[in-house]
Amino acid sequence: MTPTTETTVGIGGAAESTDMVLNIGPQHPSTHGVLRLRLVLDGERIVRAEPVIGYMHRGAEKLFEARDYRQIIVLANRHDWLSAFSNELGVVLAVERMLGMEVPERAVWTRTLLAELNRVLNHLMFLGSYPLELGGITPVFYAFREREVLQNVMEEVSGGRMHYMFNRVGGLKEDLPAGWTARAREAVAAVRSRMDVFDDLVLGNEIFRGRTRGVGALAPEAVHAYGVSGPIARASGVDFDLRRDEPYLAYGDLQDVLRVVTRTEGDCLARFEVLLGQTHNALDLADACLDRLAQLPPGPINQRLPKVLKAPEGHTYAWTENPLGINGYYLVSKGEKTPYRLKLRSASYNNIQALTELLPGTLVADMVAILGSMFFVVGDIDK
């Protein structure tokens, strides 16, 4: 019998697992902008994840203190550049609450209509860009086609394509153009008629479902712990929507149309499904607002304000159900024409913190799928 010989080729560091630190960003195609992720890897698996923020910080909250109540609107509408109208809305609601001001009914319904159109515009961007991040290029072209239809009516009414500056303390900048409601109704109908593209082309795609089902599941406990809100929270079974649970604007009169979309899986696929369901419902809400506006008699769209607007001394908190989640505005006044303090609680800031919980234990290959499903805007994180 021939004796066997065993030879040890090598031993040392290679025989042990070695963690590797990987920086994703701050300039990286998968991070939606200047977000940086510091990942600790064990092979292909993520062990720890730390979102590093602040690269876009422009000090908006401090700038609020040096601007009067009309000027702060232009600062507030820019942090989430996909939800500019909704951002303006939270500020003016807080100031109006401090003033004890009643807004004309036409302004209330028009604000609700424009907020829902803005919600559709926001969601369409993610409905198109998320499949793109997973390798599907076609949906983004459809998404931008529908966005253009709605942006045309938003631009006609406000003059702006992204930063509308249409809200004012006491109402809106001006009344709707003649015939605008009919054109808005046509735009809503056109977009609704083509929304099945996302139902069939994206959700019906087996590769998309394979990349997202069961990936990046967020537990309801983590949602509460990190203050996650909006579509991401509802995809994890947290059934909370300010439009239903603490109605503002005209949402109290829209409860028969408003549908809060939820899922229980909490994974990437569930988050996309919630976003798509919310888009369908926002179009229904827009139609309901248009119906109501057609019934209202002619009337004012805003309140007359003094040349110098001063809020009384005190503080208040207003919050809104923005497209990406809950936005909160804590306003403190010393009776001057500028806020003493205006603290902004943005949805993306809280939502992105959950990545420290979501990413550990997953593969690097699934990192982009999870990150894209968080539906955040970096300016909304950094403010």
Side-chain angles (χ1 to χ4, degrees):
M1 183 175 179
T2 306
T4 58
T5 304
E6 289 184 329
T7 304
T8 301
V9 176
I11 196 167
E16 303 172 2
S17 65
T18 305
D19 288 345
M20 179 178 75
V21 177
L22 178 66
N23 278 290
I24 307 290
Q27 292 285 0
H28 192 277
S30 73
T31 58
H32 295 228
V34 283
L35 172 72
R36 174 183 162 208
L37 287 175
R38 185 179 182 274
L39 307 178
V40 178
L41 308 179
D42 181 3
E44 285 293 307
R45 198 164 294 277
I46 299 171
V47 177
R48 290 195 304 277
E50 177 191 0
V52 183
I53 64 174
Y55 291 94
M56 287 191 68
H57 180 60
R58 59 191 176 90
E61 292 175 334
K62 199 65 183 172
L63 290 172
F64 289 152
E65 300 171 15
R67 305 290 191 279
D68 67 33
Y69 287 106
R70 293 177 175 90
Q71 294 169 328
I72 60 175
I73 300 172
V74 76
L75 291 171
N77 80 359
R78 280 164 163 73
H79 55 90
D80 175 0
W81 45 76
L82 297 178
S83 311
F85 186 86
S86 301
N87 299 340
E88 301 168 12
L89 193 57
V91 172
V92 296
L93 288 175
V95 179
E96 288 162 4
R97 183 173 296 177
M98 287 285 286
L99 294 167
M101 181 181 290
E102 288 289 332
V103 177
E105 189 177 11
R106 279 178 57 80
V108 171
W109 281 96
T110 306
R111 279 177 172 179
T112 311
L113 165 62
L114 296 176
E116 290 306 312
L117 292 179
N118 194 197
R119 191 180 309 276
V120 177
L121 282 168
N122 174 290
H123 290 357
L124 280 170
M125 176 63 79
F126 291 106
L127 292 174
S129 66
Y130 185 45
L132 179 65
E133 291 167 358
L134 299 180
I137 191 172
T138 309
V140 75
F141 295 118
Y142 288 105
F144 269 86
R145 179 185 66 181
E146 309 314 328
R147 275 176 55 86
E148 197 64 29
V149 172
L150 292 177
Q151 276 192 308
N152 285 339
V153 295
M154 293 292 281
E155 183 178 11
E156 182 186 356
V157 74
S158 68
R161 283 180 62 81
M162 287 188 69
H163 304 299
Y164 306 109
M165 272 304 295
F166 197 55
N167 276 291
R168 294 292 187 273
V169 176
L172 294 166
K173 177 187 173 187
E174 55 200 9
D175 209 342
L176 303 173
W180 182 86
T181 53
R183 290 187 289 276
R185 194 182 293 276
E186 291 172 3
V188 169
V191 172
R192 181 188 286 108
S193 69
R194 297 190 289 257
M195 283 301 294
D196 60 342
V197 165
F198 300 98
D199 292 291
D200 302 335
L201 186 66
V202 182
L203 284 181
N205 186 289
E206 61 183 80
I207 298 175
F208 179 83
R209 300 183 75 87
R211 289 290 307 277
T212 55
R213 186 193 286 115
V215 175
L218 183 65
E221 295 78 15
V223 169
H224 294 300
Y226 288 93
V228 174
S229 60
I232 301 171
R234 290 190 282 274
S236 295
V238 178
D239 188 5
F240 182 71
D241 191 313
L242 282 175
R243 296 173 297 169
R244 180 197 63 196
D245 300 322
E246 194 173 314
Y248 59 98
L249 293 182
Y251 290 114
D253 297 322
L254 291 169
Q255 296 301 304
D256 56 333
V257 183
L258 176 64
R259 182 171 61 92
V260 180
V261 184
T262 60
R263 293 290 186 275
T264 56
E265 296 84 358
D267 57 10
C268 296
L269 180 60
R271 290 190 278 274
F272 188 87
E273 289 175 339
V274 168
L275 201 74
L276 182 56
Q278 282 193 180
T279 309
H280 284 289
N281 186 237
L283 292 168
D284 294 338
L285 288 167
D287 265 341
C289 290
L290 286 165
D291 292 340
R292 179 63 174 155
L293 281 171
Q295 300 167 5
L296 291 178
I301 200 78
N302 51 37
Q303 295 274 27
R304 292 185 64 86
L305 299 177
K307 187 175 181 180
V308 178
L309 180 65
K310 294 183 178 181
E313 189 169 350
H315 60 91
T316 191
Y317 183 76
W319 55 349
T320 58
E321 188 68 44
N322 265 38
L324 298 182
I326 293 174
N327 268 33
Y329 303 84
Y330 179 57
L331 172 63
V332 181
S333 171
K334 289 295 181 78
E336 302 295 332
K337 66 177 182 179
T338 61
Y340 176 75
R341 185 80 174 88
L342 181 54
K343 169 63 180 171
L344 170 62
R345 185 261 192 225
S346 61
S348 297
Y349 179 84
N350 284 71
N351 292 354
I352 206 65
Q353 307 307 316
L355 287 172
T356 59
E357 190 96 8
L358 269 178
L359 290 176
T362 64
L363 297 173
V364 175
D366 290 329
M367 186 269 297
V368 175
I370 296 170
L371 192 63
S373 73
M374 297 306 285
F375 309 132
F376 61 89
V377 171
V378 178
D380 199 41
I381 301 170
D382 291 341
K383 302 192 285 287

